[in-house]
Amino acid sequence: MTTESRKTIDVAPRPEAPAEPVLPDEVIRTDIAIIGSGMGGGTMAYALKDSGAEVLIIERGHRLPAEPQNSDLDEVYLKGRYKNADKWYNGRTGEAFKPGVYYWVGGCTKVYGACLPRFRASDFKETTHQDGTSPAWPFSYEDLEPYYAKAEKLFRVRGQIGEDPTEPAHSEAYPFPALDHEPVIQDLAASFRRQGLHPFRMANGLDADTPQKRALCATSDGAPNQAGLKSDAEKIAIDPALAAGVDLMTGAKVIRLIAGPDGRTIVAALAERDDRLIRIEADKFILAAGAVNSAALLLGSATPEFPRGLANSSGLVGRNYMVHNSTFFIGINPFRVNRTLWQKTLGLNDWYEAGPTNKYPLGNLQMLGKLRASMLKMAKPWAPTWLLKALSDRSIDIYLTTEDLPRQSNRISLVNGNIHVWWEPNNLEPHKELVRRIRKAVRKAGYPVIFSERMGIETNSHQCGTAVAGHDPASSVLRPDCRTHDLDNLWIVDSSFFPSSAALNPALTIAANALRVADTILATRDPGLQRLPAGKD
């Protein structure tokens, strides 16, 4: 990577700005620039670390400190210690909200629950739902399967084949055994089985196979893990990439991509860092800033020649925004204390696909990390803490997801540089039916008191779909290999490319796809890129 200071560069201005040259404080040259260091960007950096190319990761955040406050629930939830995203706005109401995104090295994986399931094989096919059609992906589950296996090895996934009837075919076993249930969750699973259901141990990226380790992970769903037991992108992918020679620039927010005179390539990215403007030039650009921020960057890079933004000849950049229909579901037994440390071990997919008892797909059940009073206080600040503690001490805590179908009217836009999210939930009747069925099953399991709340626009950790992949440039933003139709040297490897949302956590699919796309980049004949030696992971 080379740098050059105080060089005047003529770039295309923002449409609303006067035409004048931009004077960067520094110019950096690299072979491959990766924008974003979350699951997609981090995995891509890892995959390219031995390529022979100069690779630079650009991250707007910094390293999240490992500190005692990582597990201090008041600090994490009530004080929002690690929430560092700007406000977004509800496009329909104009109201500001704090999005569920985090700007740290490793992105949102620093606080995710490390739930790492594969999408089902049916998720890649056209599927009929009650409220419309979920489109087919431009590649199949079978195409992605080898990369799922590689991603499971990389992220040290713990799981067990054969417990979930909807589990797709695996070419290899999970690299580590599934995490076992603790007693309360084991009893819940046993009750579900007596009811004719098929609970299974959820695929998980958490090194918590002993009581001592579980005690260190008890608050790690939605919070950092000080002990380093979570398979986050920083630990698993970025740190090994840096050790191999990849560069990392932190505290640098990319504000604009600059297209070359031919309109077919990106020649540079402009980033703000410590009140300085940095121009980053590269042969290849890989965008992995998250589905909303990646789309916002493309829209915000509009010029008079490209008034709708870059890579947007289809007009679909920012559209088809999906986040899942999701519900927090709590079952309470007033006479039984739940002492589970790591609750996120159980899943249920009996109604994930259409079947004899449900004409249309309903969705997935997974456990939440054990809820505590501070977490509930954030959602219900009016409730006395003693009451919230009494409830959470006796609760089992569940997260329910149903597929959110792509709609062009669900989109993100930029207004005066601010992100506006336009989202109207759809496919809600199947979600309500899933909640009804789980309510019945949980009551039979001995939890008579039920609370549930469907999540709103601010719950967007599963965001996807804002730059969909497909074969036709008129109906998609990306090619099947996630390179843009319009720009020959720009790829997007976060969840922007998803043609549909499925009804499961997207993280492992993002990682597997990044490995797949990396193979297409490594297969090019560029002199700066060589394939990895045979057998090297």
Side-chain angles (χ1 to χ4, degrees):
M1 184 176 68
T2 59
T3 65
E4 186 180 342
S5 298
R6 302 302 301 180
K7 180 180 178 182
T8 302
I9 307 293
D10 290 319
V11 302
R14 296 176 182 269
E16 69 273 12
E20 58 183 21
V22 175
L23 183 67
D25 297 288
E26 184 178 7
V27 177
I28 292 176
R29 172 71 199 174
T30 190
D31 294 328
I32 302 175
I34 301 174
I35 302 168
S37 69
M39 187 59 95
T43 303
M44 179 61 76
Y46 180 91
L48 298 178
K49 65 185 176 64
D50 299 313
S51 66
E54 289 186 330
V55 179
L56 171 66
I57 308 168
I58 308 158
E59 168 56 49
R60 69 191 291 177
H62 296 276
R63 296 270 192 177
L64 192 153
E67 57 186 3
Q69 291 89 340
N70 291 168
S71 56
D72 185 327
L73 297 181
D74 285 351
E75 286 287 333
V76 173
Y77 292 98
L78 298 184
K79 297 181 182 179
R81 184 178 185 88
Y82 304 109
K83 283 194 169 184
N84 56 3
D86 300 329
K87 290 180 180 179
W88 294 354
Y89 293 84
N90 185 324
R92 289 180 169 80
T93 67
E95 295 179 357
F97 65 93
K98 270 284 190 180
V101 295
Y102 296 79
Y103 304 137
W104 301 101
V105 175
C108 293
T109 69
K110 294 303 295 182
V111 300
Y112 79 155
C115 192
L116 294 171
R118 299 182 178 201
F119 281 4
R120 313 293 89 170
S122 60
D123 289 325
F124 294 81
K125 302 174 183 178
E126 182 176 298
T127 304
T128 301
H129 292 262
Q130 184 166 343
D131 203 20
T133 299
S134 178
W137 289 37
F139 52 88
S140 67
Y141 171 79
E142 289 73 21
D143 293 330
L144 195 59
E145 197 283 330
Y147 298 101
Y148 270 133
K150 290 181 180 180
E152 285 166 348
K153 286 183 179 179
L154 177 60
F155 283 89
R156 305 173 190 177
V157 179
R158 298 168 183 270
Q160 178 61 52
I161 301 170
E163 295 183 350
D164 174 14
T166 71
E167 183 79 23
H170 285 233
S171 59
E172 301 180 39
Y174 281 104
F176 295 94
L179 294 177
D180 287 328
H181 304 313
E182 294 174 53
V184 169
I185 306 306
Q186 183 60 48
D187 289 348
L188 178 64
S191 176
F192 283 170
R193 281 192 291 271
R194 289 193 297 270
Q195 296 177 50
L197 303 175
H198 302 85
F200 60 92
R201 289 173 292 173
M202 199 77 174
N204 203 285
L206 199 73
D207 182 9
D209 56 357
T210 68
Q212 294 77 18
K213 289 180 179 178
R214 292 205 176 190
L216 295 173
C217 298
T219 61
S220 294
D221 188 8
N225 180 250
Q226 183 184 4
L229 299 176
K230 186 188 294 188
S231 290
D232 64 56
E234 178 188 29
K235 168 190 169 183
I236 294 294
I238 294 170
D239 286 345
L242 299 184
V246 171
D247 291 307
L248 171 66
M249 179 188 296
T250 60
K253 179 183 178 182
V254 176
I255 59 171
R256 191 172 182 81
L257 298 176
I258 303 169
D262 61 359
R264 293 295 309 177
T265 57
I266 298 294
V267 297
L270 291 181
E272 295 175 337
R273 188 188 195 206
D274 296 331
D275 297 323
R276 303 174 77 240
L277 185 65
I278 301 174
R279 177 182 169 104
I280 301 159
E281 299 175 348
D283 297 321
K284 293 178 172 65
F285 290 86
I286 297 168
L287 186 51
V292 170
N293 281 308
S294 288
L297 179 58
L298 294 175
L299 294 172
S301 299
T303 67
E305 294 78 17
F306 304 101
R308 297 197 295 185
L310 297 183
N312 198 22
S313 62
S314 64
L316 294 176
V317 170
R319 295 188 180 274
N320 297 304
Y321 170 77
M322 296 169 281
V323 287
H324 286 154
N325 296 313
S326 56
T327 286
F328 278 12
F329 183 104
I330 299 173
I332 296 172
N333 182 334
F335 307 105
R336 184 178 187 181
V337 173
N338 181 3
R339 293 187 172 86
T340 304
L341 294 172
W342 184 250
Q343 191 172 242
K344 204 174 181 72
T345 57
L346 182 146
L348 189 74
N349 280 335
D350 282 65
W351 306 297
Y352 190 91
E353 299 170 323
T357 65
N358 48 293
K359 184 178 179 181
Y360 301 103
L362 300 186
N364 166 259
L365 173 152
Q366 62 183 261
M367 304 304 294
L368 290 163
K370 186 69 198 76
L371 289 183
R372 315 288 178 180
S374 295
M375 304 175 187
L376 296 177
K377 188 75 172 178
M378 182 178 66
K380 307 293 182 185
W382 47 265
T385 301
W386 66 264
L387 176 60
L388 297 177
K389 184 178 186 307
L391 294 175
S392 61
D393 284 351
R394 292 161 177 81
S395 70
I396 56 166
D397 316 298
I398 292 170
Y399 193 64
L400 301 176
T401 55
T402 299
E403 187 158 344
D404 181 22
L405 302 179
R407 297 281 189 269
Q408 290 194 25
S409 57
N410 283 345
R411 62 187 178 92
I412 69 109
S413 63
L414 286 180
V415 180
N416 297 323
N418 295 315
I419 291 173
H420 286 237
V421 178
W422 304 74
W423 179 64
E424 185 70 28
N426 60 59
N427 203 35
L428 284 175
E429 284 307 314
H431 188 72
K432 294 175 183 176
E433 178 60 22
L434 178 63
V435 173
R436 285 192 288 267
R437 294 189 185 197
I438 298 304
R439 181 182 293 113
K440 181 179 179 181
V442 168
R443 280 185 170 145
K444 283 186 176 180
Y447 296 88
V449 181
I450 303 293
F451 295 99
S452 65
E453 182 174 352
R454 187 164 61 83
M455 299 295 96
I457 195 169
E458 71 286 344
T459 303
N460 48 22
S461 55
H462 294 179
Q463 60 186 259
C464 61
T466 57
V468 296
H471 296 284
D472 183 359
S475 59
S476 59
V477 177
L478 306 177
R479 309 175 198 194
D481 67 355
C482 291
R483 184 166 54 165
T484 62
H485 288 296
D486 297 356
L487 296 155
D488 294 331
N489 68 337
L490 176 65
W491 289 259
I492 303 180
V493 296
D494 52 36
S495 57
S496 301
F497 83 90
F498 285 21
S500 64
S501 68
L504 286 164
N505 309 58
L508 189 74
T509 300
I510 296 170
N513 181 67
L515 295 174
R516 181 185 71 94
V517 174
D519 261 7
T520 69
I521 295 174
L522 289 167
T524 64
R525 297 183 179 180
D526 292 10
L529 291 176
Q530 296 92 39
R531 275 193 174 277
L532 297 176
K536 185 166 183 179
D537 290 326

